[in-house]
Amino acid sequence: MPTSGPDAMQPALRRRRRRQGFLLPFACLSAALIAAALLPGAAFADGVTPSEARRLRDEVKDMFYHAFDGYMQHAFPLDELRPLSCQGEDSLGGYALTLIDSLDTLALLGDKERFDAAVEWVGKNVRFDINKTVSVFETNIRILGGLLSAHLIASDYATGMRIQSYDDQLLHLAADLAQRLLPAFDTPTELAIRNRPRVWTHITSTAGGGTLTLEFGVLSRLTNDSVYERVTKNSVRGIWARRSKLDLVGAHINVFTGEWTQKDAGIGTSIDSFYEYLLKEAYKAAMHYLHHDPWYVEVNMNSGATVWPLFNSLQAFWPGLQVLAGDVDPAIRTHAAFFSVWKKYGFTPEGFNLATSTVQNGQRSYPLRPELIESTYWLFKATRDYRYLDVGRDILASLQYGAKCPCGYCHISDVETHQQDDHMESFFLAETVKYLWLLFDLAAGPDNIVENGPYKYIFSTEGHLLPATPQITLLDEHCLYAGAFCNGTAGHGYGTGDSSNKHQNANSVPFDDSRTPSDQSLSNILSTTRGYIKGVCPGLTHAQKLGISYSAEEDNSIQQNSGSSENLDESHVIKSSVQAQSSSVILISHPVASQTEGPTSGRSQYNANIVATAESVGTDTAGASSHPEDLVKETESVSEQKEINDKEIASQGSQPTEGRYLT
């Protein structure tokens, strides 16, 4: 693929500006690509049509099977495929990593035959009683998440993928694995130890210690054993309790002393997925100190001074997360900026220096990461703007012509030369291909369990599908954020209202207590209902309406703060309109007016901010329809978030490069 031409960015005018004593010469990127991408409704002359979307969806499916069959034929049961040499390698623990990571993608594609066979093989053959040092973070998101997702699909008739002979084998494996990981949390700070293959270390990344709650929490709900959820929540609380006075967290922390060993704060490498689980609490500070529209930089967590003007590929998940938070306007601009880097090289390098507009030395590779296509999917889902299908088509073309190998798809070792590397990580099948397929399937007329299935689905940071079923979201205890499902024994009345009507869909069943026989238990209702029962539950706290559970000792403080929590503070939301740039360059701008104010003095003032409820994602700041009924990822930032108040933080103790896949 050419690396220059009409789509390539050209060096442009540089402008200097000072920020807290640090002189930053930011080279500007070509306005042509970004401005064209920002124009509302803009599409290329040969924009993707619905019929082409169907063809592209089928091409992505073929892409999946080229890589999956290559793995099964040449690498299985080893962890991962070497797609150039058509061999296999054990990269994580030696338990068929790529197969487990791909299980829910098989289900998403409707391949029941292979899904059944894969689940049966894993249940019979995978064992974790082995002497291996593994990455807690990677094992959690890839293996534990993959097992739980496949279990929830295989055990439920409503998914259409129920396996008749299935007897919770994957759930038993997941519990066994989690038990073996529990010692990692036995530290003085309760922060999780981060182990790498063959290396033991007392330093953990913020992402590594703060991106465990969803999988462990789901396991607690499925096994009725609270220990898994408790230890992971203690870990993420411990990290947040040690944030700086600016409400920023660093990149690495010592799990025994609680001291930060790397104090660079950013949204990318080593921190990225932490924001997915704590977005509500951390978003305001991130936008104030890290956002230089449309880019994001790394700053010192204590002073806020910029230390690293770099775009790294792991940052590309951020626009998708912003969509789920309802902050669509800046997401559009940032996505366009990130995609302009892809257009320049055909791939996104691990690091792109904003000061020089060049690839960062030592960070020239593209290891088939999914973050940019993930954000593309969520932006298309929110806006239905077909420009994002054009983006998807370009990404697909780059993968087909630059990364396709004899037995799968190769890492790109240098985005400028497009030299291939003999590796294919499991997340290529778990995420990259999955999000591409979902994008085109959505445009073609979706027919999959995510869009048309019986549940709303949460996507884990590894892209695993976790249904918001009553058992997981504890609907028998309080209202669900997407509607309401109340416990009749808790003294809350049943009723329907306007707030639930706008979320009605084919899977919704409105009801009130006049239609519910007094002798009919909630469990009976659950057993006969597919999907959500909508309604309004009076007398609940803000957190309960969001579907967040609390331990008993927290209830009093939460209820005291519930009044102020009801009104979400949206002062941090950037409301600048999307428009074409009139100049020949795009510069990193000064923060907008809403960001120039200093950080709030009381942390609790924005503990309730940026909650991705179905209501909050319904309208974006650009005025475009966001299709709230479609924004159903309801990610970790909602389902697993906690309202952390100052009393909790005090009880934890306060003290003044690994990402989702980078160890």
Side-chain angles (χ1 to χ4, degrees):
M1 178 172 291
T3 58
S4 61
D7 288 331
M9 297 183 301
Q10 302 297 325
L13 178 66
R14 297 183 181 181
R15 183 177 299 173
R16 294 177 181 268
R17 62 183 292 263
R18 284 186 180 274
R19 177 169 175 80
Q20 300 191 6
F22 190 91
L23 188 62
L24 291 178
F26 284 115
C28 304
L29 303 180
S30 168
L33 284 173
I34 303 179
L38 287 173
L39 284 171
F44 303 120
D46 56 344
V48 174
T49 63
S51 60
E52 185 180 4
R54 287 190 289 272
R55 182 189 65 77
L56 292 170
R57 177 192 61 190
D58 294 340
E59 184 177 346
V60 174
K61 186 175 182 179
D62 291 340
M63 168 187 285
F64 172 83
Y65 282 112
H66 173 64
F68 182 79
D69 291 345
Y71 166 75
M72 295 301 295
Q73 293 171 14
H74 302 287
F76 175 79
L78 301 179
D79 280 339
E80 292 180 327
L81 170 69
R82 298 177 64 89
L84 267 178
S85 59
C86 298
Q87 298 177 9
E89 61 180 338
D90 277 336
S91 56
L92 186 61
Y95 27 67
L97 167 64
T98 296
L99 180 63
I100 294 175
D101 221 3
S102 304
L103 289 174
D104 63 347
T105 307
L106 287 168
L108 181 67
L109 296 175
D111 192 340
K112 193 171 189 314
E113 181 179 357
R114 297 198 197 195
F115 177 73
D116 290 4
V119 168
E120 182 179 2
W121 185 91
V122 171
K124 288 181 177 179
N125 296 279
V126 171
R127 294 293 179 269
F128 299 114
D129 53 344
I130 54 179
N131 185 16
K132 289 284 182 74
T133 300
V134 299
S135 164
V136 175
F137 171 71
E138 300 290 355
T139 302
N140 171 68
I141 65 172
R142 302 199 202 193
I143 299 296
L144 185 59
L147 291 172
L148 291 172
S149 178
H151 161 73
L152 288 163
I153 294 171
S155 61
D156 192 342
Y157 283 102
T159 64
M161 302 295 288
R162 173 74 165 92
I163 300 176
Q164 294 293 334
S165 60
Y166 182 71
D167 190 25
D168 295 342
Q169 294 95 325
L170 302 190
L171 179 60
H172 298 320
L173 277 175
D176 177 63
L177 175 60
Q179 279 289 332
R180 298 175 189 278
L181 295 177
L182 283 179
F185 299 89
D186 187 15
T187 65
T189 61
E190 296 187 280
L191 302 180
I193 291 174
R194 164 203 174 199
N195 287 338
R196 295 178 177 181
R198 296 175 300 280
V199 178
W200 186 92
T201 175
H202 57 274
I203 305 298
T204 189
S205 71
T206 298
T211 315
L212 306 164
T213 314
L214 182 58
E215 293 82 0
F216 273 71
V218 168
L219 182 61
S220 279
R221 309 297 172 85
L222 294 175
T223 61
N224 198 30
D225 187 343
S226 64
V227 65
Y228 309 116
E229 187 169 0
R230 184 172 66 251
V231 296
T232 52
K233 285 184 177 179
N234 287 343
S235 182
V236 73
R237 286 171 178 162
I239 292 174
W240 184 240
R242 292 168 173 83
R243 67 194 185 277
S244 74
K245 63 182 180 180
L246 305 181
D247 288 308
L248 296 174
V249 293
H252 291 95
I253 191 170
N254 187 307
V255 300
F256 287 94
T257 67
E259 296 292 334
W260 292 99
T261 59
Q262 184 178 348
K263 298 180 180 180
D264 296 349
I267 63 167
T269 303
S270 299
I271 306 178
D272 52 353
S273 53
F274 175 82
Y275 286 105
E276 292 181 311
Y277 287 19
L278 215 68
L279 179 68
K280 179 184 62 173
E281 289 79 9
Y283 186 77
K284 186 175 182 178
M287 292 301 290
H288 183 85
Y289 293 103
L290 310 178
H291 185 219
H292 292 256
D293 201 0
W295 304 97
Y296 290 81
V297 298
E298 294 183 11
V299 306
N300 180 276
M301 63 180 288
N302 294 315
S303 68
T306 303
V307 297
W308 197 235
L310 187 76
F311 158 64
N312 66 67
S313 60
L314 286 168
Q315 294 179 0
F317 84 102
W318 188 259
L321 194 62
Q322 288 184 302
V323 167
L324 293 165
D327 207 1
V328 178
D329 186 29
I332 291 172
R333 295 194 303 275
T334 294
H335 177 274
F338 292 172
F339 181 58
S340 70
V341 179
W342 182 288
K343 291 285 285 185
K344 176 174 178 138
Y345 300 107
F347 302 99
T348 47
E350 290 290 79
F352 180 79
N353 194 306
L354 300 175
T356 61
S357 289
T358 59
V359 177
Q360 182 69 20
N361 289 335
Q363 299 185 34
R364 311 185 67 83
S365 66
Y366 169 69
L368 304 176
R369 294 201 186 278
E371 283 77 12
L372 184 61
I373 188 59
E374 175 185 359
S375 288
T376 304
Y377 165 66
W378 289 112
L379 275 164
F380 179 68
K381 198 166 189 178
T383 66
R384 292 301 197 273
D385 192 321
Y386 272 63
R387 80 180 110 166
Y388 297 112
L389 297 181
D390 295 329
V391 172
R393 180 179 56 186
D394 284 354
I395 291 175
L396 176 58
S398 293
L399 292 171
Q400 290 288 58
Y401 292 106
K404 191 172 185 178
C405 295
C407 298
Y409 288 82
C410 287
H411 287 193
I412 303 300
S413 61
D414 190 322
V415 297
E416 291 188 305
T417 65
H418 288 193
Q419 181 178 349
Q420 294 180 337
D421 191 17
D422 195 12
H423 293 282
M424 188 185 81
E425 293 214 46
S426 65
F427 58 70
F428 177 70
L429 295 177
E431 294 186 88
T432 308
V433 175
K434 180 182 291 170
Y435 284 117
L436 264 177
W437 188 87
L438 281 168
L439 171 69
F440 295 123
D441 188 60
L442 187 60
D447 183 19
N448 62 74
I449 59 175
V450 170
E451 310 295 347
N452 298 333
Y455 310 113
K456 305 298 183 185
Y457 278 86
I458 299 163
F459 285 69
S460 75
T461 196
E462 183 75 4
H464 289 308
L465 308 176
L466 298 171
T469 62
Q471 185 179 14
I472 292 175
T473 57
L474 300 181
L475 295 185
D476 59 330
E477 295 184 4
H478 44 62
C479 294
L480 182 67
Y481 49 83
F485 197 163
C486 312
N487 186 348
T489 62
H492 302 311
Y494 296 105
T496 58
D498 293 338
S499 62
S500 64
N501 291 341
K502 62 184 176 182
H503 304 296
Q504 298 283 347
N505 57 36
N507 300 318
S508 304
V509 182
F511 93 157
D512 54 42
D513 56 351
S514 65
R515 298 170 55 191
T516 307
S518 59
D519 60 347
Q520 186 175 10
S521 68
L522 188 64
S523 60
N524 289 336
I525 297 172
L526 284 173
S527 66
T528 58
T529 308
R530 292 181 61 192
Y532 295 122
I533 296 179
K534 304 291 185 174
V536 175
C537 306
L540 297 183
T541 66
H542 172 73
Q544 288 170 325
K545 290 178 182 178
L546 294 176
I548 306 173
S549 64
Y550 296 92
S551 59
E553 62 269 22
E554 297 170 323
D555 289 343
N556 292 336
S557 61
I558 292 166
Q559 290 175 1
Q560 292 172 2
N561 295 331
S562 63
S564 60
S565 300
E566 291 289 348
N567 298 318
L568 299 181
D569 176 10
E570 297 181 352
S571 62
H572 62 283
V573 177
I574 300 174
K575 296 183 178 180
S576 55
S577 61
V578 179
Q579 54 185 318
Q581 302 290 328
S582 57
S583 62
S584 60
V585 295
I586 284 188
L587 260 95
I588 297 177
S589 65
H590 291 274
V592 295
S594 62
Q595 292 175 295
T596 56
E597 301 175 0
T600 178
S601 58
R603 288 170 179 163
S604 62
Q605 291 181 11
Y606 65 87
N607 276 351
N609 292 349
I610 310 302
V611 180
T613 63
E615 289 83 3
S616 69
V617 297
T619 305
D620 66 73
T621 56
S625 170
S626 297
H627 298 274
E629 69 276 15
D630 291 325
L631 296 180
V632 299
K633 183 177 180 183
E634 316 287 8
T635 57
E636 305 89 350
S637 60
V638 172
S639 65
E640 291 300 317
Q641 281 180 356
K642 300 285 291 178
E643 293 207 0
I644 302 177
N645 52 57
D646 289 333
K647 291 184 180 179
E648 290 178 305
I649 295 169
S651 68
Q652 294 287 339
S654 178
Q655 295 186 17
T657 4
E658 166 188 12
R660 295 200 284 174
Y661 319 106
L662 190 61
T663 58

